[in-house]
């Protein structure tokens, strides 16, 4: 076979309501001849498929997925279209949930308190029928699809239990004489069918909402690139064109406050560009002729022209988007514990019910059919999945509420389950360990000068500068209530600083090179002081006038007060801590030393952070990544547990499984303790949910009848099932009152 026939495509999947659905779709596609690999990303509702285009086509894949009960969109879909489909699915699910709850409520009230009233059974029948046939029909459709493929999941359990309970109740409503002639009461279990459907739909509605929020991360990353750009034509005029039309070699214009559309090199003009979403560096970078610029970064006050070099899928921003997609998609969809157990539990329960019916038909004597029917239905009723359906979501909901009180927002159970297993935490520096903005840490005036006079000059010049460090100086002097009492001229010195003439005297603000080129006298004491500032991780700005150095200004991204204590607590818990930053080696080493962090890495790009996380994972570590910027999104997606600082970018928060709505890092040890307690509660809930089945199913099958003549009444079985649900909810509520 000649040529490369391998194709790699991502298709959008509709109809996936749970992690079990995601596994079904993945297994269905992977089983098709010609498919080499299939990976479902449940959060993004898509599937990445590697296949041989000569053997299988997208149309055949869609046919297979449709047969399994879902649908595959094989045509090209933009993000807006995908979002519309997700929103439409959510609205439909919401309508079904509300409808089921409205009809299940009166059925529950009548079934519990007014079951002996005239026509009570007929009223419950009328209310329950649409719950099953209309609002809960997907359970039965999906269960049938699973059955055709020899599989069983939560849908199967729901469909079998509610279906049998409904049919049994329908028989007893239409023909109650069958039981009354035998001296038995014709019980109905409409409330079990209706309430189970309503509760499971409610859980899936909450899950669907969380899933839609999660999938917005990629859309926001894509939104960083502007839709249009200004291209300079051959005759020098400006022409606005779509960004998709940009070709390498085009000359593009970027105005103040605009995002840069593609990667390229500056040709004319100068400005400062905020590249924190790419590099993590908190300070904007000066851009002059010959400097590189990157798509998605934000231009500040100046304007410039640049030559487009990497466009479309070749830009660094596009690479980040691809990396995030791959990191998210590489993780197998989380198969909820309930669905895993249901795969074995469901056929087992059905088998026990059938076996119970057969045995009673053989040994039941005169009442063989009566006992066979009662016991088999009782087995199915007591095995009702209500407690199973509540076990995880109730604990998660209480845990999420408890976390919210402590400014800890938890997105899903996966993050919660993995957090307590975490052995290593990777911290981004800028905005996570530090404040994320430059501040003046010291202003050292030369001894014997008039501070107030020169402070006014300093404020005048810095207030006219476009340099981000100048903003820090202006903010510092403004807090000191220094006023601008002077006027003069202002000139920017490219790459060095600024120059001003005030009252016929020259002043300079900038780096050491600017001072040297203008013959400024710097004393040995001042040089020593400047070195001390730099050793502490500060950027030193020189202020000179009248041929002498008037002041040294130390500017740094200040370490948060809570960082030292939080990192100490993490180390006490036995957690390995590492700091990653886009800053230079000196600044990184200084910060790490002050925090007591031995593992750190400086001057890292986004892909470096993700690779670092991968390396630790390869060593067997369960890695949690903490960050706040777009530059952290790849590493956040790659980590086992992703934690975003709430004051950071929306994209970091969307990718992350846990968000700290506070700048206080002490929330991380609190989140660890919360995760342990919540996971413990989930396990307890699952234990109580199953203990009733382990004890109740044999009793329901009539195991006690030979020794004491006891048969479990289906009504008592329903009560036991209800009690298991109450115990699960009560146990979850205990978490709410626990101390952190």
């Amino acid at each position: 076979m000649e040529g490369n026939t391998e194709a790699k495509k991502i298709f959008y999947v509709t109809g996936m309501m749970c992690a079990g659905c995601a596994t079904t779709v993945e297994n269905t596609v992977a089983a098709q001849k010609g498919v080499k690999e299939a990976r479902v990303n449940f959060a993004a509702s898509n599937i990445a498929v590697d296949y041989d285009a000569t053997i299988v086509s997208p149309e055949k894949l869609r046919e297979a997925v449709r047969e399994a009960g879902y649908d595959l969109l094989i045509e090209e879909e933009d993000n807006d279209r995908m979002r519309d489909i997700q929103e439409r699915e959510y609205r439909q699910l919401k309508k079904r949930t509300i409808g089921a709850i409205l009809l299940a409520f009166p059925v529950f009230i009548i079934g519990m308190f007014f079951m002996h009233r005239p026509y009570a059974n007929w009223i419950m029948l009328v209310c329950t029928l649409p719950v099953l046939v209309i609002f809960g029909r997907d359970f039965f459709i999906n269960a049938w699809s699973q059955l055709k493929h020899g599989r069983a999941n939560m849908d199967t359990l729901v469909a079998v239990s509610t279906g049998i309970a409904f049919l049994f109740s329908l028989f007893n409503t239409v023909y109650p004489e069958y039981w009354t002639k035998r001296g038995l009461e014709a019980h109905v279990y409409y409330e079990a069918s209706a309430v189970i459907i309503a509760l499971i739909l409610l859980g899936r509605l909450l899950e669907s909402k969380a899933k839609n929020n999660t999938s917005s991360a990629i859309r926001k990353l894509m939104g960083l690139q502007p839709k249009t750009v200004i291209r300079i034509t051959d005759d020098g005029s400006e022409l606005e064109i779509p960004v998709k039309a940009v070709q390498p070699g085009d000359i593009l214009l970027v105005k103040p406050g605009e995002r840069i559309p593609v990667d390229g090199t500056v040709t004319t003009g100068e400005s400062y560009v905020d590249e924190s979403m790419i590099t993590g560096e908190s300070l904007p970078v000066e851009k002059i002729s010959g400097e590189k610029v990157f798509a998605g970064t934000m231009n500040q006050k100046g304007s410039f022209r640049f030559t487009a070099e990497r466009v479309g899928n070749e830009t660094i921003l596009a690479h980040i988007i691809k990396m995030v997609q791959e990191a998210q998609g590489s993780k197998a969809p989380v198969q909820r514990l309930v669905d895993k157990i249901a795969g074995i539990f469901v056929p087992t329960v059905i088998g026990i019910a059938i076996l119970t019916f057969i045995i009673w038909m053989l040994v039941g004597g005169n009442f063989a059919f009566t006992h066979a029917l009662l016991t088999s239905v009782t087995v199915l009723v007591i095995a009702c999945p209500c407690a199973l359906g509540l076990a995880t979501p109730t604990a998660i909901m209480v845990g999420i509420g408890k976390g919210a009180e402590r400014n800890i927002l938890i997105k899903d159970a996966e993050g919660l389950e993995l957090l307590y297993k975490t052995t290593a935490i990777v911290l981004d520096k800028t905005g996570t360990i530090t404040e994320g903005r430059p501040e003046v840490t010291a202003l050292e005036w030369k001894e014997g000068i008039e501070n107030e006079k020169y402070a006014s000059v300093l404020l005048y010049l810095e207030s006219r500068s476009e340099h981000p460090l100048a903003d820090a100086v202006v903010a510092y002097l403004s807090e000191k209530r220094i006023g601008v009492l002077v006027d003069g001229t202002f000139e920017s010195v490219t790459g060095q600083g600024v120059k001003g003439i005030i009252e016929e005297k020259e002043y300079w603000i900038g780096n050491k090179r600017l001072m040297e080129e203008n013959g400024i006298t710097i004393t040995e004491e001042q040089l020593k002081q400047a070195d001390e500032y730099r050793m502490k991780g500060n950027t030193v700005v020189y202020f000179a006038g009248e041929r002498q150095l008037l002041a040294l200004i130390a500017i740094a991204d200040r370490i948060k007060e809570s960082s030292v204590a939080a990192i100490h607590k993490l180390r006490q818990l036995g957690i390995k801590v590492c700091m990653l930053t886009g800053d230079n080696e000196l600044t990184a080493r200084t910060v790490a030393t002050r925090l007591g962090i031995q593992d750190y890495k400086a001057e890292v790009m986004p892909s470096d952070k993700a690779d670092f996380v991968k390396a630790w994972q390869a060593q067997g570590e369960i890695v949690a990544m903490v960050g706040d910027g777009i530059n952290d999104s790849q590493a956040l997606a790659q980590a086992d547990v992703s934690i975003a600082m709430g004051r950071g970018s929306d994209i970091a928060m969307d990718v992350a499984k846990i968000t700290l709505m506070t700048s206080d890092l002490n929330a991380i040890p609190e989140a660890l303790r919360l995760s342990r307690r919540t996971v413990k509660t989930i396990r307890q809930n699952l234990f109580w949910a199953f203990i009733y089945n382990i004890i109740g199913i044999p009793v329901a099958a009539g195991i006690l009848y030979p020794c004491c003549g006891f048969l479990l009444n289906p009504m008592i079985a329903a009560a036991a099932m209800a009690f298991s649900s109450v115990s699960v909810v009560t146990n979850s509520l205990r978490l709410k009152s626990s101390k952190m």
Side-chain angles (χ1 to χ4, degrees):
M1 189 180 298
E2 298 182 357
N4 183 12
T5 61
E6 183 178 348
K8 295 183 179 181
K9 288 188 178 181
I10 296 178
F11 303 104
Y12 187 67
V13 184
T14 63
M16 293 193 301
M17 302 303 296
C18 64
C21 299
T23 301
T24 298
V25 172
E26 187 170 274
N27 292 339
T28 299
V29 174
Q32 302 307 304
K33 187 177 180 181
V35 174
K36 299 179 180 179
E37 186 179 10
R39 301 184 308 277
V40 167
N41 185 337
F42 180 50
S45 294
N46 62 35
I47 181 170
V49 186
D50 297 352
Y51 63 96
D52 189 332
T54 62
I55 299 176
V56 65
S57 65
E59 288 75 13
K60 289 183 179 179
L61 295 177
R62 172 190 247 180
E63 184 179 341
V65 171
R66 282 182 169 177
E67 187 179 346
Y70 309 93
D71 198 3
L72 202 67
L73 300 183
I74 60 175
E75 62 271 15
E76 293 293 330
E77 297 284 346
D78 60 28
N79 291 283
D80 292 336
R81 171 64 176 160
M82 291 181 181
R83 185 171 64 252
D84 291 341
I85 293 173
Q86 285 182 323
E87 289 176 352
R88 184 170 66 249
E89 287 181 346
Y90 177 78
R91 287 194 301 268
Q92 292 173 349
L93 179 58
K94 186 176 181 179
K95 289 179 181 178
R96 292 200 301 270
T97 303
I98 293 173
I101 291 174
L102 290 176
L103 288 176
F105 182 73
V107 174
F108 175 78
I109 296 298
I110 295 172
M112 290 292 101
F113 305 107
F114 305 103
M115 71 285 289
H116 297 301
R117 294 293 179 91
Y119 305 109
N121 289 355
W122 290 100
I123 294 173
M124 288 190 289
L125 169 61
V126 171
C127 292
T128 303
L129 189 60
V131 173
L132 271 68
V133 176
I134 300 176
F135 305 122
R137 66 181 181 275
D138 286 347
F139 292 111
F140 297 91
I141 294 172
N142 293 338
W144 175 248
S145 298
Q146 295 295 312
L147 181 62
K148 289 192 295 183
H149 291 83
R151 293 188 292 260
N153 64 359
M154 195 69 175
D155 288 336
T156 310
L157 198 59
V158 173
V160 170
S161 59
T162 57
I164 292 294
F166 177 78
L167 292 175
F168 182 69
S169 300
L170 178 62
F171 175 81
N172 289 353
T173 301
V174 176
Y175 187 41
E177 294 82 6
Y178 177 85
W179 301 104
T180 56
K181 287 178 180 179
R182 291 162 175 79
L184 298 173
E185 186 176 349
H187 291 291
V188 295
Y189 305 99
Y190 292 118
E191 72 279 0
S193 298
V195 172
I196 290 167
I197 295 292
L199 285 175
I200 301 299
L201 283 174
L202 179 60
R204 293 196 173 176
L205 179 69
L206 297 174
E207 186 175 353
S208 176
K209 185 174 183 180
K211 183 188 70 173
N212 290 345
N213 290 337
T214 301
S215 63
S216 66
I218 299 298
R219 293 197 299 267
K220 289 184 179 179
L221 276 172
M222 293 177 175
L224 290 176
Q225 188 177 47
K227 300 293 184 185
T228 60
V229 62
I230 297 176
R231 184 176 66 189
I232 306 301
T233 61
D234 294 337
D235 61 6
S237 61
E238 299 179 3
L239 177 65
E240 184 173 333
I241 62 171
V243 71
K244 293 181 180 179
V246 175
Q247 299 294 323
D250 286 349
I251 303 298
L252 308 177
L253 173 65
V254 180
K255 296 180 179 179
E258 293 182 345
R259 288 197 181 274
I260 295 169
V262 297
D263 295 356
T265 302
V266 176
T267 54
T268 58
E270 59 184 64
S271 182
Y272 286 90
V273 175
D274 181 359
E275 295 184 343
S276 59
M277 66 285 296
I278 299 294
T279 65
E281 174 61 56
S282 57
L283 300 178
V285 181
E286 183 179 25
K287 298 297 180 182
I288 57 177
S289 180
E291 292 285 337
K292 298 288 185 181
V293 291
F294 306 101
T297 56
M298 177 66 77
N299 183 34
Q300 296 201 324
K301 300 177 183 178
S303 63
F304 59 87
R305 296 181 181 183
F306 74 99
T307 302
E309 294 176 348
R310 290 184 293 186
V311 302
N313 294 328
E314 300 300 320
T315 67
I316 286 184
L317 176 62
H319 183 64
I320 290 176
I321 293 171
K322 181 181 178 182
M323 291 289 288
V324 172
Q325 287 176 321
E326 289 179 352
Q328 287 183 333
S330 65
K331 300 175 184 177
V334 180
Q335 180 72 20
R336 293 193 183 278
L337 183 57
V338 172
D339 283 327
K340 288 181 179 179
I341 297 173
I344 303 171
F345 181 69
V346 174
T348 301
V349 169
I350 294 174
I352 291 173
I354 295 172
L355 183 62
T356 299
F357 186 89
I358 294 172
I359 291 174
W360 276 105
M361 286 299 293
L362 295 175
V363 302
N366 295 332
F367 297 96
F369 181 74
T370 301
H371 287 162
L373 187 59
L374 275 174
T375 52
S376 58
V377 168
T378 303
V379 167
L380 291 170
V381 170
I382 205 168
C384 182
C386 193
L388 288 176
L390 291 171
T392 297
T394 53
I396 293 298
M397 289 174 69
V398 175
I400 287 173
K402 184 72 174 179
E405 294 175 2
R406 311 293 296 179
N407 294 316
I408 303 167
L409 299 186
I410 302 165
K411 183 173 291 184
D412 57 30
E414 180 192 10
L416 208 59
E417 291 172 351
L418 285 174
L419 182 59
Y420 91 103
K421 297 180 181 178
T422 297
T423 59
I425 288 183
V426 178
L427 298 171
D428 173 59
K429 181 186 80 70
T430 304
T432 302
I433 294 175
T434 64
E435 296 289 351
R437 60 180 184 277
E439 294 181 351
V440 174
T441 59
L443 177 54
E444 186 73 27
W445 293 99
K446 183 179 180 182
E447 191 174 344
I449 66 170
E450 299 179 28
N451 294 2
E452 291 189 8
K453 171 188 173 183
Y454 291 116
S456 182
V457 173
L458 177 62
L459 179 58
Y460 169 78
L461 295 175
E462 291 287 62
S463 63
R464 281 155 180 75
S465 173
E466 295 181 355
H467 198 288
L469 292 182
D471 294 336
V473 176
V474 170
Y476 177 82
L477 294 176
S478 298
E479 288 180 2
K480 301 292 184 182
R481 299 187 180 278
I482 302 297
V484 178
L485 306 175
V486 298
D487 192 14
T489 63
F490 173 86
E491 177 186 345
S492 176
V493 182
T494 302
Q496 298 184 37
V498 301
K499 173 185 177 183
I501 300 177
I502 299 171
E503 296 179 356
E504 300 181 355
K505 295 179 181 179
E506 291 183 328
Y507 295 90
W508 294 266
I509 305 173
N511 56 26
K512 189 177 180 181
R513 180 182 170 190
L514 180 65
M515 303 297 112
E516 292 172 346
E517 290 186 359
N518 288 279
I520 303 301
T521 301
I522 305 177
T523 66
E524 287 296 326
E525 185 178 345
Q526 288 173 325
L527 288 172
K528 183 179 179 181
Q529 183 66 62
D531 288 339
E532 289 180 2
Y533 286 146
R534 275 191 289 268
M535 290 302 294
K536 293 180 180 179
N538 293 275
T539 299
V540 179
V541 176
Y542 298 81
F543 173 41
E546 302 179 24
R547 300 299 170 183
Q548 62 178 327
L549 186 64
L550 301 175
L552 290 171
I553 309 168
I555 301 176
D557 187 3
R558 194 184 302 272
I559 295 176
K560 297 174 184 175
E561 293 181 3
S562 62
S563 295
V564 177
I567 291 171
H568 179 68
K569 290 177 183 177
L570 289 173
R571 294 179 66 183
Q572 282 185 326
L573 291 171
I575 303 294
K576 295 181 181 179
V577 180
C578 177
M579 181 187 75
L580 302 182
T581 177
D583 286 342
N584 59 67
E585 172 67 23
L586 178 59
T587 300
R589 183 171 67 249
T590 302
V591 173
T593 301
R594 289 181 60 186
L595 294 170
I597 297 176
Q598 296 179 346
D599 294 323
Y600 71 90
K601 194 171 183 180
E603 300 177 2
V604 294
M605 294 293 284
S607 59
D608 297 328
K609 294 183 180 182
D611 290 341
F612 188 89
V613 172
K614 285 182 183 178
W616 271 22
Q617 288 172 327
Q619 297 172 15
E621 304 285 355
I622 305 298
V623 182
M625 171 70 193
V626 185
D628 74 325
I630 298 169
N631 63 297
D632 302 318
S633 57
Q634 294 177 44
L636 286 169
Q638 177 62 42
D640 298 289
V641 182
S642 44
I643 304 174
M645 304 299 290
R647 296 182 182 179
S649 73
D650 290 341
I651 294 165
M653 293 169 65
D654 284 333
V655 172
K657 297 182 183 301
I658 298 172
T659 299
L660 307 180
M661 299 304 294
T662 172
S663 59
D664 189 346
L665 282 183
N666 283 302
I668 297 178
E670 288 189 3
L672 285 167
R673 289 192 292 270
L674 176 64
S675 70
R676 292 190 179 107
R677 292 176 183 175
T678 305
V679 170
K680 182 180 178 181
T681 301
I682 291 173
R683 291 176 174 177
Q684 290 172 344
N685 286 349
L686 291 174
F687 169 79
W688 287 113
F690 281 105
I691 196 66
Y692 293 102
N693 289 317
I694 294 172
I695 297 174
I697 289 177
V699 175
I703 196 171
L704 297 178
Y705 188 81
C707 63
C708 56
F710 177 78
L711 281 180
L712 184 64
N713 189 296
M715 196 66 182
I716 298 176
M721 178 271 294
F723 181 69
S724 68
S725 301
V726 171
S727 65
V728 163
V729 175
T730 303
N731 190 52
S732 295
L733 292 175
R734 287 175 55 248
L735 180 65
K736 191 174 183 180
S737 58
S738 64
K739 294 182 179 180
M740 288 295 292

